[in-house]
Amino acid sequence: LQAAAEQLMHLQGIFKFQSSGHSFMAVAGHAPDAYASVSVLLNFSIGLLERAQHITLPTGRPLRLRLAMHSGPANAGVVAGNYPFYCVFGIAVRWAEVMQSLAAPGCVYISDSSLSRLSRNGAPLVLPMGARQVEQPALVHAGLGQINGSLVVPSWEPDPDPPHQQ
């Protein structure tokens, strides 16, 4: 799956900036057309979900990823120390991390901010999730104590598992 993700990112101009264990974060929008970037990230996400369907877990069930998308301002730079690394950070990054933890397996949890930038022509099924409370101190302190978003359900996913409530 990692190789498939790397290939999709390379083909679509997406930059992977952080990887930890079984998760990674990618960004797009560093190009002039941020609206096109949302479509690129959604296409990447759906492509990754499709590839995951062909990976079987030891239980015999297909791998079902939890993905999330959010659009917003972020900062980037090299964080120095013993091992300098490139980092993208800010409230929008934290927001995306929280959304990923709330996402339903096999779907993409997309914020209203990203959804508003997406052309709905030919888009997959989108199920509004409404407002969901968030208990993350950094987000609450920034006045972002609830997430408004929707689930993008790929065409092969007949009945998504409802995301867990926090």
Side-chain angles (χ1 to χ4, degrees):
L1 185 63
Q2 185 72 22
E6 297 281 346
Q7 181 184 30
L8 283 171
M9 284 187 268
H10 177 73
L11 290 173
Q12 298 187 25
I14 295 171
F15 177 68
K16 178 178 89 170
F17 73 87
Q18 184 176 354
S19 123
S20 172
H22 294 293
S23 65
F24 68 90
M25 188 169 293
V27 296
H30 40 284
D33 189 356
Y35 287 87
S37 298
V38 172
S39 294
V40 166
L41 276 173
L42 184 59
N43 288 336
F44 163 73
S45 299
I46 291 173
L48 200 56
L49 290 172
E50 193 277 326
R51 282 174 172 77
Q53 290 291 305
H54 302 289
I55 297 173
T56 305
L57 297 172
T59 61
R61 297 184 65 196
L63 177 64
R64 298 184 75 213
L65 304 175
R66 295 189 320 180
L67 305 176
M69 288 180 54
H70 177 62
S71 298
N75 300 303
V78 175
V79 177
N82 290 339
Y83 304 98
F85 63 97
Y86 187 75
C87 183
V88 178
F89 52 94
I91 292 295
V93 173
R94 185 69 188 125
W95 190 281
E97 290 170 345
V98 170
M99 287 184 65
Q100 185 274 331
S101 72
L102 297 172
C107 300
V108 181
Y109 191 18
I110 186 169
S111 69
D112 285 353
S113 169
S114 290
L115 191 59
S116 70
R117 292 170 169 84
L118 183 65
S119 166
R120 299 300 292 270
N121 295 337
L125 176 63
V126 177
L127 303 173
M129 294 299 294
R132 300 181 68 197
Q133 294 303 115
V134 175
E135 301 293 329
Q136 301 293 321
L139 294 175
V140 172
H141 180 70
L144 303 170
Q146 67 180 23
I147 291 176
N148 292 302
S150 301
L151 282 181
V152 176
V153 182
S155 58
W156 65 84
E157 197 63 52
D159 186 23
D161 294 335
H164 64 279
Q165 295 294 319
Q166 184 165 338

